[in-house]
Amino acid sequence: MDVKKDRCKGMILAAIAAIMWSTGGIFVKLVDWNPVSISGLRSFIAALVMLTYIKKPKFTKTKPQVLGAITTCTTMLFFIMANKLTTSANAILLQYTAPIFVAILGVWILKEKIRWYDIISIAIVFLGMILFFIDNVNIGNTLGNIIAILSGFSMACMTISLRLQKDGSAMDTTFLEIF
């Protein structure tokens, strides 16, 4: 019985997260604040929600945890800046270039092997990124697209830092971003 409850709870929480993620771009566009203020408010709300789950966060202050907190912060800030300068679709899709950067950084930092299908995937995504820049000749859109890619790179750095924490908690690292 508990497995069914947990599964149902997980599905509901995943649906709520999907709704929140998919409406994030809309609300960033609607609010006439600067990106730092929006990022700060979003982080504050996230901290309140996270505190209900983790109760007492454990801060080890290791290099990977601090790097993870910093890159969580910069990912959010770059995403909001990009969203203000380009379309929400571009900001979101270009942020998800992160797996490319994770694959590249994984080889360099984590000493992982890159496979032939990783190379094909990276090439296809790079071609898709080129299409974003060809389509938008407006300088604001181009700057927003570049910042969105920085958001993707920052998200990749966050992922690598979380993977470097063998016994660390992703929740605690993400929560540390608030401080």
Side-chain angles (χ1 to χ4, degrees):
M1 186 60 113
D2 288 333
V3 173
K4 284 186 178 182
K5 273 185 175 180
D6 288 345
R7 184 171 184 231
C8 185
K9 182 180 176 182
M11 289 171 60
I12 290 169
L13 291 173
I16 290 170
I19 290 168
M20 293 175 80
W21 272 96
S22 62
T23 56
I26 296 168
F27 290 121
V28 167
K29 293 281 191 193
L30 292 175
V31 176
D32 192 27
W33 295 358
N34 74 37
V36 174
S37 298
I38 295 171
S39 180
L41 181 62
R42 284 179 65 158
S43 294
F44 177 73
I45 293 169
L48 294 177
V49 171
M50 289 173 71
L51 267 177
T52 63
Y53 175 76
I54 57 177
K55 307 288 187 235
K56 187 177 177 188
K58 181 181 175 187
F59 301 133
T60 60
K61 296 182 184 159
T62 61
K63 286 180 185 179
Q65 188 180 56
V66 172
L67 179 64
I70 290 168
T71 54
T72 299
C73 181
T74 56
T75 299
M76 169 95 61
L77 187 56
F78 285 149
F79 171 75
I80 293 170
M81 290 170 64
N83 213 319
K84 290 288 191 183
L85 293 171
T86 190
T87 66
S88 294
N90 282 15
I92 292 166
L93 290 173
L94 288 173
Q95 181 183 43
Y96 287 106
T97 57
I100 294 172
F101 297 119
V102 169
I104 294 167
L105 292 172
V107 169
W108 181 47
I109 296 171
L110 302 174
K111 308 299 183 216
E112 296 176 337
K113 291 184 179 182
I114 196 162
R115 294 173 179 83
W116 65 269
Y117 50 83
D118 294 325
I119 294 170
I120 291 171
S121 298
I122 290 170
I124 291 170
V125 173
F126 270 125
L127 289 173
M129 286 172 48
I130 290 168
L131 293 176
F132 275 94
F133 287 96
I134 290 172
D135 186 42
N136 293 315
V137 291
N138 180 323
I139 192 71
N141 284 345
T142 301
L143 179 59
N145 289 344
I146 291 169
I147 293 172
I149 292 171
L150 287 174
S151 178
F153 180 76
S154 184
M155 182 181 274
C157 291
M158 176 182 67
T159 301
I160 295 293
S161 70
L162 292 175
R163 290 174 62 192
L164 285 170
Q165 297 179 55
K166 301 295 182 202
D167 297 324
S169 164
M171 289 290 284
D172 294 339
T173 299
T174 304
F175 186 78
L176 180 61
E177 170 246 336
I178 302 340
F179 299 102

